[in-house]
Amino acid sequence: MPKRGSTTSGTVAPVPRKKQKNVEPTYSQNTEEQDENTPLNHSNYFSQLSQLSKQSPDLHKNAGTILRVSVKNFMCHTFLEFDFNENLNMVIGNNGSGKSAVMNAITLTLGGRATSTSRCSNIGRFIQHGKSFAEISVVLCNQGLEAIDIERFGRSITITRKVTVKGSSHYQVKNEYGKIVSERKDTIDTIVAHFNIQVDNPMCMLNQDIAKNFLNTKSTKEKYNFFLKATQLQKMVADLEENTVEIRIAKGLLIDHVKKRKEIQAQKEELDAKLKFAESVRNAKSNADNLQGHLEWAEVINHEKTLAETEKKLAEDQYAVQEYTNKRDALIDDMKNEKSKRDELLRKAQEVANNAIEAKRIHDDLERQMKLFNKEKRDLLHEVNKLEKELQLQTELKKKLQKKIEEMRRKATGNNDYEKACQRINELHILINEQRQILSMKENEQGNFRQLYDDERQTLFNDQSTLKQHEDTLRRKRGGIQQLKAAKQDRVTIYGRYTLAILKEIDRNAHRFKQIPIGPVGKHIRLVDRKWAIAVEQAIGNSMQGYLCSCRDDERVLLEILSRCVPAQEMDYRPNVTVMKYQSKVYQNLRLPPSSFTTILSMLQIDNPTVTCFLIDHARIEQRVLMDNYETARRIMEKSAPPNCVAAYLPNGTEMQNTYVFRCYTCRVQSPRFFVEDFAEQITRAENECITIERTMQEVKEKIKETQQRVNQHQQTVAGLDGTINEIKVACGRLGKELRELQLIEAPNDSNMDDCENELAEYDTRIETFKQRIKDQKSKAEMESPEYRQILDDVAQARQRVMEKREEAEQCKTSLQACDALKENGQRAINDLQRGLDDNQRKLEQHEATKKFIETKLQVQIENAQKLLNQRPEGEIDVKATRRRLDSILKFIETNKNVFYNVEQIQDRSEKVKITLDTFGRIVDKQEKLIHKLFKASRHRGQQYKNLLESTAKLTSSCFTSFLESRNYTGEAIFDHKEGTLALEITPRGDEVHKDTRSLSGGERSFSTVCFMLALWEVVEMPLRCLDEFDVFMDHVTRRTAMNLVLEVAREKKKQYIFLTPQDLSFLKITDDMRILRMPQPKRTLMEINNDNDAD
């Protein structure tokens, strides 16, 4: 298509000289020199058309066909004018010559929208570039049986549409003689609807985009919708749905009318009821006044009763005041007596305490003297015990010596076995030495295996510790992965797994806080440079999860929320809560390090001044600096820290301090926890680390399994060696015991017996000496001196005096406590009595005031009651029953006060309502009958639509199959009206069945589209059809077959057909009912020509 700025004018293309007889005369003119503001002039055409009509009265006998199309400043044409044949019209031209402009002009002139052309949505875009308006005109035939209002329009109708750049358009409808008949679009819609020209129906106007979309569409639903739109069944469906909606609306109106009729009926009944109660309303006022008087006298009686009760309470209060005063005065006198009594007891208690102290001092002196005597006696008894033990030892030695002497005497009688015992002793020495050598070897072997066993156990323990560390690390890593995944959805979860729950609880309990807590703290912090993420977290990481409260009350509420949200077993993960006053701005005049250092405060963006102040107070972020280089940081911090600098941090998290001594702390963290930007990368890195840890854990488990097997083997070996060693030790013990028994056998010796007898005599002498010393010491210890007896008596008497004084002191203390309690209780009782006296006096004053008030009110109430009812009623008045009656009467009067004064008006309204009810009832009955008829007609139309749909689908499928057979194709159109789908199954010659037209070649798909279009033509009746480049994808043979088929159908239908194609149709045989119109060659630039040559 050429550019809009071109000035191509349309002319009828010349035809071969031998075919000139088949070409109709044309009235197209080249008007390039014509002024752009000159309107289209059809006067010559109207005169020529009139002459031709007189010469050939049967010309253009099909009403609704197009006689002429004229365009000015439209798309690529400055001026173009074509005359069309009543049957076949071929518009041929190269791409860009403006063929589609002819179809677009017809569509827009006959009332179509800009979107119907599939070109653009604004009609102003169709104006030629550089022009201010465009004018398009179409002349329709108005002859034949289907002509519309010939007296008004004549034998032809000219429709003109003028479009401006702003998108506005103006219509004109002219009659046969060029006179303007109408300028309303409604007239054009009436004309187009009368001739059944459907510009938005693809069966009437098939442009390139619709044809291309139908060829490329794969959806069976879209094909089915195309079928409904082409056959106008879609409009019938819309009409049926609209009828259904209208019936539904009518039913709704009927329901409203029925409700309104009921309301009118209820209104009539209400008016009748008002008329019935009109008389009772007149008499209700006097009854109400009478009952009101009774109530007033009842109120007088109540006031009298209240006055009597008040006087009674006043007397009781006076009596109570007198009683409280007497009791208080009596207690005050008793308290004075108790005070003098307490002073006497206090003096006596002081005297008893002094006597008790003196008695205790005397008792302690006697106790010390008695302890000295007891110590001497204990020393004597200890000496006696030592002598008795020595005597026992000498006696036992004497017995052993006696046994030895007897054994020596027995052995002296016979010593035959002594030599055998010596020989056995030598054998036992040899056996014992052999067993000791074996034992030593086994112990060495056991020591070696035990050492191996201990080493393997230590290795096993180390491996198990390593495995546990790996498991803890893996669990932490997986928890971190879950937290990162959750933070990927909601970043706030990175500050703890329970953060979301805590924040929701804070929002839910917001009314309990004086000021909403701030937190987590990290939520308000943004890092300027991610390079320092690890360093900043190392400095303030412990504070990132915390919360801030403005007061202790808010802290208690927040701690309660935390205890609910965080499980008890995970209280270690509970965030910290800090109480501080909320700040409206950041602290000023901070003590900062030299400006050459970068502080953590300058590296953070904090959106809350309270959080900034909190970090300054608790983390001192304004005095923590960041340094890039390790050597530089160590050189600066190791000598002396800069002023106002508490620590320095490196990008890897290493911390350096020099408060008193230089310290350097290395950070083991390799990735940040809170300042994370790429969660996916962090998750991937953590998952890879988990895989590495799992692989290492598997290796450690295999190593543990092997080590456990070696430990079990060494344990079994050590246990076997333990059994062997124990057996050897038992054998050695048995042999040693036998050896010791044999060694006890001594050779007979007579001189030893004499020495033993002498030693026995010495033992007897020593025993007698010890016995005598024991006897002397016991007698000395048992003997008591008169001085010791005197001390015992004095101690007993002193102890008795101390006990007596202590009892007296306890009695004085108990008496004093009783006095104190009596004083306290008495004072409390006096205070209670005073409060009771004050309360009763206050009540007394209140009752006196109440009495005066009631007396005044009673006097006023009697005057009011006498005004309503002069004579006081006799007997008791039932106030509740009287008030109920009065309320009902007053309510009745209030409700019907209008009825009381407008009885005649109510009667008139009742008559009018009755007439309205009768009229409305007749209307409702007619509506019910009409809706029933409409519903029945709608069902009938729905059934007729289904029948028409099925018959149209069958006819379309039959025609589609018939047209396919013209090229030896087979196929059918399969309709599914329930699902709303249309499937085309096509079998080309010698090919397989294609259920999707997209699987066909371009020519086969175009031919099948033409067949389907022809099938739709068979079921759709229209006066004209216009097709734009429907054969563009066909090969030569397919095009010829399709064109012949289309022309054959067109000639049979005797309708007007306009075909626009860039293809060569020289193979067609030109007949009298065919007109070929050629578009002029488009003006093209040199670049476009070179591109075409390169493409060739």
Side-chain angles (χ1 to χ4, degrees):
M1 181 177 179
K3 297 181 179 179
R4 285 188 176 182
S6 63
T7 57
T8 304
S9 62
T11 60
V12 179
V15 296
R17 189 173 300 278
K18 61 181 180 178
K19 296 183 181 180
Q20 285 289 332
K21 60 181 181 179
N22 298 325
V23 179
E24 296 291 335
T26 63
Y27 308 96
S28 129
Q29 299 175 0
N30 189 348
T31 59
E32 290 185 358
E33 298 178 357
Q34 184 179 356
D35 183 33
E36 69 170 8
N37 295 322
T38 303
L40 294 173
N41 188 358
H42 301 283
S43 59
N44 294 332
Y45 172 73
F46 290 137
S47 60
Q48 295 171 4
L49 179 61
S50 178
Q51 295 175 3
L52 289 173
S53 299
K54 292 177 182 179
Q55 294 173 3
S56 54
D58 293 335
L59 187 63
H60 300 304
K61 58 189 176 186
N62 289 333
T65 57
I66 298 175
L67 302 179
R68 171 174 289 186
V69 175
S70 302
V71 299
K72 183 177 182 180
N73 301 336
F74 185 75
M75 295 181 70
C76 63
H77 300 291
T78 302
F79 180 79
L80 178 66
E81 195 172 74
F82 275 149
D83 293 336
F84 291 105
N85 188 7
E86 69 169 349
N87 190 205
L88 298 176
N89 299 274
M90 301 291 182
V91 180
I92 303 173
N94 293 332
N95 290 332
S97 61
K99 299 184 301 299
S100 300
V102 177
M103 176 182 283
N104 294 337
I106 295 171
T107 301
L108 295 175
T109 305
L110 297 180
R113 296 177 178 270
T115 55
S116 301
T117 63
S118 301
R119 291 280 180 167
C120 59
S121 60
N122 185 3
I123 195 171
R125 298 284 298 278
F126 287 98
I127 301 175
Q128 190 178 22
H129 183 69
K131 307 297 182 181
S132 60
F133 74 96
E135 188 172 345
I136 51 180
S137 178
V138 174
V139 181
L140 299 177
C141 176
N142 192 31
Q143 298 184 55
L145 297 176
E146 297 182 358
I148 179 174
D149 199 357
I150 297 178
E151 295 178 357
R152 182 185 181 190
F153 297 106
R155 290 171 295 178
S156 66
I157 302 173
T158 302
I159 302 174
T160 305
R161 185 176 186 180
K162 187 175 182 181
V163 182
T164 63
V165 176
K166 294 182 179 179
S168 62
S169 60
H170 176 67
Y171 289 94
Q172 285 184 350
V173 181
K174 300 179 182 179
N175 60 9
E176 176 185 3
Y177 306 103
K179 181 180 178 182
I180 297 175
V181 178
S182 175
E183 294 183 352
R184 294 170 57 87
K185 187 177 182 297
D186 296 342
T187 306
I188 300 173
D189 295 338
T190 304
I191 295 171
V192 171
H194 178 80
F195 292 142
N196 196 24
I197 300 174
Q198 304 168 8
V199 292
D200 58 344
N201 191 338
M203 289 299 98
C204 181
M205 296 290 175
L206 183 65
N207 57 40
Q208 299 177 24
D209 295 331
I210 296 177
K212 187 185 299 182
N213 292 336
F214 183 77
L215 289 173
N216 295 328
T217 184
K218 187 177 180 181
S219 172
T220 57
K221 291 186 178 294
E222 293 179 3
K223 292 177 181 177
Y224 187 81
N225 292 333
F226 182 84
F227 163 75
L228 293 179
K229 184 176 181 181
T231 56
Q232 290 297 299
L233 293 173
Q234 192 174 24
K235 189 174 184 305
M236 292 182 65
V237 173
D239 292 341
L240 288 173
E241 291 178 353
E242 185 177 356
N243 291 339
T244 304
V245 172
E246 289 177 353
I247 292 172
R248 191 179 299 113
I249 293 172
K251 286 184 177 179
L253 291 174
L254 177 61
I255 292 172
D256 293 339
H257 289 167
V258 172
K259 290 181 179 178
K260 190 172 181 181
R261 184 174 64 178
K262 292 181 180 179
E263 291 175 358
I264 295 172
Q265 182 67 31
Q267 187 178 0
K268 183 178 178 303
E269 293 176 356
E270 183 180 357
L271 290 173
D272 294 338
K274 287 182 179 180
L275 289 173
K276 291 180 182 179
F277 286 107
E279 293 297 329
S280 59
V281 171
R282 292 191 181 99
N283 301 324
K285 182 64 177 175
S286 59
N287 294 334
D289 293 339
N290 189 17
L291 291 174
Q292 186 67 37
H294 281 77
L295 288 177
E296 292 296 334
W297 281 111
E299 191 69 21
V300 170
I301 295 172
N302 289 333
H303 285 323
E304 291 175 350
K305 291 181 179 179
T306 305
L307 181 60
E309 292 177 357
T310 304
E311 291 176 349
K312 182 179 179 182
K313 291 180 179 179
L314 186 61
E316 292 176 355
D317 291 339
Q318 291 176 349
Y319 176 77
V321 166
Q322 187 63 34
E323 287 293 323
Y324 274 106
T325 304
N326 296 334
K327 289 181 179 180
R328 185 197 62 182
D329 296 340
L331 278 175
I332 291 172
D333 295 337
D334 293 340
M335 289 297 296
K336 291 180 180 179
N337 296 331
E338 288 295 330
K339 183 178 180 182
S340 59
K341 190 176 184 181
R342 184 179 181 281
D343 294 339
E344 181 65 23
L345 285 173
L346 188 60
R347 185 189 60 75
K348 183 178 179 181
Q350 186 66 34
E351 184 180 352
V352 170
N354 295 332
N355 295 333
I357 291 171
E358 182 64 22
K360 185 69 170 59
R361 185 185 61 76
I362 296 171
H363 175 268
D364 292 341
D365 293 339
L366 294 174
E367 283 284 344
R368 282 193 294 272
Q369 294 178 9
M370 187 177 67
K371 286 179 180 179
L372 291 175
F373 282 107
N374 290 335
K375 184 176 182 302
E376 292 177 359
K377 187 174 182 179
R378 282 196 302 274
D379 293 339
L380 292 173
L381 293 176
H382 181 65
E383 184 68 23
V384 169
N385 290 333
K386 286 175 64 177
L387 292 172
E388 287 179 348
K389 289 180 180 179
E390 188 66 25
L391 176 62
Q392 185 177 1
L393 179 62
Q394 295 296 328
T395 304
E396 290 178 355
L397 291 175
K398 177 182 175 182
K399 291 180 179 178
K400 289 181 179 180
L401 185 60
Q402 288 176 349
K403 289 180 179 179
K404 184 177 179 180
I405 292 172
E406 291 178 356
E407 184 67 22
M408 291 174 66
R409 289 175 181 174
R410 184 178 60 78
K411 290 180 178 181
T413 57
N415 55 0
N416 297 328
D417 295 333
Y418 182 72
E419 294 180 357
K420 293 181 180 181
C422 292
Q423 185 177 359
R424 180 60 181 167
I425 288 171
N426 294 330
E427 292 177 357
L428 290 174
H429 277 299
I430 294 172
L431 291 173
I432 288 171
N433 290 332
E434 291 178 355
Q435 292 296 327
R436 286 178 177 175
Q437 291 177 0
I438 295 171
L439 178 64
S440 177
M441 182 178 63
K442 292 295 182 181
E443 286 178 347
N444 292 333
E445 184 178 359
Q446 183 189 28
N448 293 334
F449 276 106
R450 192 177 295 280
Q451 184 64 36
L452 289 174
Y453 174 72
D454 294 338
D455 293 342
E456 293 295 341
R457 284 194 64 186
Q458 185 64 35
T459 303
L460 180 63
F461 177 76
N462 294 335
D463 292 341
Q464 288 175 347
S465 300
T466 304
L467 179 62
K468 187 175 180 182
Q469 292 176 358
H470 287 319
E471 289 176 350
D472 295 340
T473 305
L474 182 61
R475 184 168 58 254
R476 288 195 302 272
K477 288 287 184 183
R478 286 176 176 171
I481 291 172
Q482 295 296 328
Q483 194 169 353
L484 287 173
K485 288 181 179 179
K488 193 175 181 181
Q489 302 296 327
D490 191 345
R491 188 178 183 88
V492 76
T493 56
I494 201 170
Y495 303 107
R497 69 181 73 174
Y498 304 106
T499 305
L500 279 178
I502 293 171
L503 293 178
K504 289 181 180 177
E505 284 294 323
I506 290 174
D507 292 339
R508 191 178 295 113
N509 295 274
H511 62 280
R512 300 177 59 189
F513 293 102
K514 296 180 180 178
Q515 286 183 295
I516 298 298
I518 300 173
V521 171
K523 186 176 70 172
H524 302 276
I525 301 174
R526 295 293 179 273
L527 190 63
V528 176
D529 189 354
R530 194 172 178 273
K531 167 186 175 182
W532 303 101
I534 298 177
V536 174
E537 287 187 6
Q538 190 71 11
I540 65 172
N542 295 331
S543 303
M544 296 285 283
Q545 298 173 283
Y547 290 81
L548 305 180
C549 292
S550 61
C551 61
R552 291 295 178 184
D553 295 336
D554 290 351
E555 180 191 21
R556 284 192 291 271
V557 177
L558 183 57
L559 290 176
E560 180 184 346
I561 291 173
L562 295 178
S563 63
R564 289 201 305 268
C565 294
V566 182
Q569 62 272 18
E570 298 186 11
M571 291 303 288
D572 294 338
Y573 297 99
R574 192 179 73 176
N576 297 324
V577 179
T578 303
V579 179
M580 66 176 295
K581 183 181 179 181
Y582 287 179
Q583 303 294 328
S584 59
K585 59 182 180 179
V586 182
Y587 296 149
Q588 303 296 325
N589 302 324
L590 297 175
R591 299 175 62 186
L592 299 175
S595 59
S596 59
F597 295 99
T598 302
T599 63
I600 294 179
L601 177 61
S602 63
M603 195 56 60
L604 297 178
Q605 292 180 352
I606 306 174
D607 59 7
N608 192 310
T610 303
V611 175
T612 307
C613 296
F614 165 72
L615 294 177
I616 292 173
D617 292 338
H618 291 76
R620 300 175 71 181
I621 58 175
E622 82 282 6
Q623 296 182 356
R624 297 180 185 270
V625 299
L626 302 173
M627 298 185 182
D628 292 321
N629 187 270
Y630 176 82
E631 288 78 9
T632 304
R634 187 177 183 90
R635 185 178 67 255
I636 293 173
M637 297 298 294
E638 191 171 12
K639 292 181 179 179
S640 177
N644 300 324
C645 177
V646 297
Y649 294 87
L650 299 180
N652 61 358
T654 301
E655 180 183 359
M656 296 183 183
Q657 297 179 0
N658 193 356
T659 306
Y660 299 105
V661 294
F662 176 76
R663 290 185 177 87
C664 182
Y665 303 97
T666 304
C667 178
R668 297 182 180 180
V669 178
Q670 298 180 355
S671 59
R673 177 183 177 188
F674 302 110
F675 298 110
V676 179
E677 292 185 357
D678 191 353
F679 287 101
E681 180 183 356
Q682 197 80 0
I683 291 171
T684 304
R685 187 185 301 114
E687 289 177 347
N688 294 334
E689 292 177 358
C690 288
I691 294 173
T692 304
I693 294 172
E694 289 176 350
R695 192 181 300 113
T696 305
M697 286 174 59
Q698 187 64 30
E699 295 175 357
V700 173
K701 286 180 181 179
E702 293 177 356
K703 185 178 178 182
I704 288 174
K705 185 177 180 182
E706 295 175 357
T707 306
Q708 185 65 46
Q709 291 177 355
R710 292 195 298 271
V711 167
N712 294 335
Q713 292 177 359
H714 293 329
Q715 186 177 7
Q716 292 176 359
T717 304
V718 170
L721 290 174
D722 283 338
T724 303
I725 290 172
N726 289 333
E727 292 177 357
I728 294 173
K729 287 182 177 180
V730 170
C732 289
R734 188 171 59 254
L735 294 175
K737 182 179 180 180
E738 184 179 358
L739 178 63
R740 286 191 298 274
E741 290 177 353
L742 292 175
Q743 287 177 350
L744 292 175
I745 299 175
E746 298 179 358
N749 190 354
D750 296 337
S751 61
N752 290 335
M753 187 178 297
D754 295 335
D755 294 337
C756 289
E757 288 178 353
N758 295 330
E759 186 176 356
L760 181 63
E762 291 177 359
Y763 277 121
D764 291 336
T765 304
R766 283 200 294 271
I767 288 170
E768 290 296 330
T769 303
F770 281 122
K771 286 181 179 180
Q772 185 61 36
R773 289 179 60 187
I774 289 169
K775 183 178 179 181
D776 295 340
Q777 292 293 338
K778 282 184 177 182
S779 60
K780 189 176 180 181
E782 290 175 355
M783 183 179 61
E784 294 182 357
S785 62
E787 186 179 359
Y788 180 70
R789 290 195 189 93
Q790 183 63 34
I791 290 174
L792 287 177
D793 295 338
D794 294 341
V795 167
Q797 293 176 2
R799 186 180 293 115
Q800 183 66 28
R801 286 195 297 271
V802 168
M803 292 299 295
E804 291 176 355
K805 296 300 179 181
R806 187 175 295 171
E807 290 179 357
E808 291 180 3
E810 287 295 331
Q811 291 177 358
C812 291
K813 182 178 179 181
T814 302
S815 300
L816 284 174
Q817 289 176 353
C819 288
D820 292 338
L822 183 61
K823 179 182 177 182
E824 184 178 356
N825 293 333
Q827 188 62 42
R828 190 183 299 114
I830 291 171
N831 295 335
D832 292 340
L833 289 172
Q834 186 63 41
R835 284 195 295 270
L837 178 61
D838 295 339
D839 292 340
N840 282 282
Q841 286 178 347
R842 188 168 53 255
K843 289 180 182 180
L844 181 62
E845 294 174 355
Q846 290 176 355
H847 288 155
E848 288 177 351
T850 303
K851 179 183 176 183
K852 293 179 181 179
F853 174 76
I854 292 173
E855 288 175 349
T856 305
K857 190 175 181 181
L858 178 60
Q859 187 65 29
V860 174
Q861 189 67 33
I862 291 172
E863 293 176 358
N864 293 333
Q866 288 176 350
K867 290 179 182 179
L868 292 173
L869 190 63
N870 190 19
Q871 187 176 1
R872 181 169 181 168
E874 297 180 358
E876 187 177 357
I877 300 173
D878 190 349
V879 178
K880 292 184 178 180
T882 305
R883 191 173 295 279
R884 282 197 299 269
R885 290 175 58 192
L886 178 61
D887 291 342
S888 63
I889 291 173
L890 292 176
K891 186 176 181 182
F892 179 75
I893 293 171
E894 182 66 23
T895 305
N896 300 281
K897 61 182 179 180
N898 295 329
V899 178
F900 178 75
Y901 296 105
N902 300 294
V903 176
E904 296 178 356
Q905 183 180 356
I906 294 173
Q907 289 177 350
D908 295 339
R909 287 179 58 193
S910 178
E911 292 296 331
K912 291 179 181 179
V913 168
K914 183 178 180 181
I915 295 171
T916 304
L917 180 62
D918 296 338
T919 305
F920 212 77
R922 289 193 296 271
I923 294 173
V924 169
D925 295 338
K926 289 181 181 180
Q927 285 182 340
E928 289 178 348
K929 293 178 181 179
L930 179 60
I931 290 172
H932 179 70
K933 290 180 181 179
L934 288 174
F935 183 72
K936 187 176 180 180
S938 177
R939 280 196 306 180
H940 179 70
R941 291 183 65 184
Q943 187 62 38
Q944 291 297 323
Y945 165 74
K946 290 181 181 178
N947 297 336
L948 179 60
L949 179 62
E950 292 176 357
S951 62
T952 304
K954 290 180 181 178
L955 180 58
T956 303
S957 179
S958 176
C959 294
F960 178 67
T961 304
S962 177
F963 289 130
L964 286 176
E965 291 175 354
S966 64
R967 202 180 172 193
N968 295 327
Y969 284 15
T970 59
E972 61 176 336
I974 301 174
F975 291 87
D976 188 348
H977 301 300
K978 291 184 178 180
E979 298 294 333
T981 59
L982 168 58
L984 300 179
E985 292 187 358
I986 303 168
T987 307
R989 293 190 297 269
D991 200 352
E992 59 182 4
V993 178
H994 293 269
K995 294 185 178 181
D996 186 4
T997 56
R998 294 168 63 92
S999 63
L1000 297 171
S1001 65
E1004 292 171 346
R1005 188 161 62 249
S1006 298
F1007 180 73
S1008 63
T1009 303
V1010 171
C1011 293
F1012 184 70
M1013 178 187 65
L1014 294 175
L1016 292 175
W1017 282 1
E1018 290 294 328
V1019 297
V1020 178
E1021 288 294 334
M1022 293 181 184
L1024 65 91
R1025 308 182 192 279
C1026 187
L1027 286 76
D1028 187 8
E1029 296 188 10
F1030 68 93
D1031 58 345
V1032 66
F1033 297 108
M1034 299 182 185
D1035 54 17
H1036 182 68
V1037 178
T1038 305
R1039 185 180 299 110
R1040 174 173 294 185
T1041 304
M1043 186 58 70
N1044 291 331
L1045 183 60
V1046 170
L1047 294 178
E1048 180 182 352
V1049 174
R1051 289 190 177 95
E1052 290 178 359
K1053 288 291 183 180
K1054 297 297 182 181
K1055 302 293 183 182
Q1056 186 179 34
Y1057 294 87
I1058 302 173
F1059 300 101
L1060 290 79
T1061 177
Q1063 307 297 335
D1064 183 16
L1065 300 178
S1066 59
F1067 60 87
L1068 294 177
K1069 181 179 180 181
I1070 301 178
T1071 59
D1072 294 337
D1073 58 353
M1074 179 186 301
R1075 171 170 291 178
I1076 297 178
L1077 305 172
R1078 294 188 181 274
M1079 300 295 295
Q1081 291 292 335
K1083 292 182 180 181
R1084 311 177 69 185
T1085 63
L1086 180 62
M1087 185 180 293
E1088 291 173 346
I1089 295 171
N1090 292 333
N1091 291 338
D1092 290 345
N1093 293 334
D1094 294 341
D1096 294 340

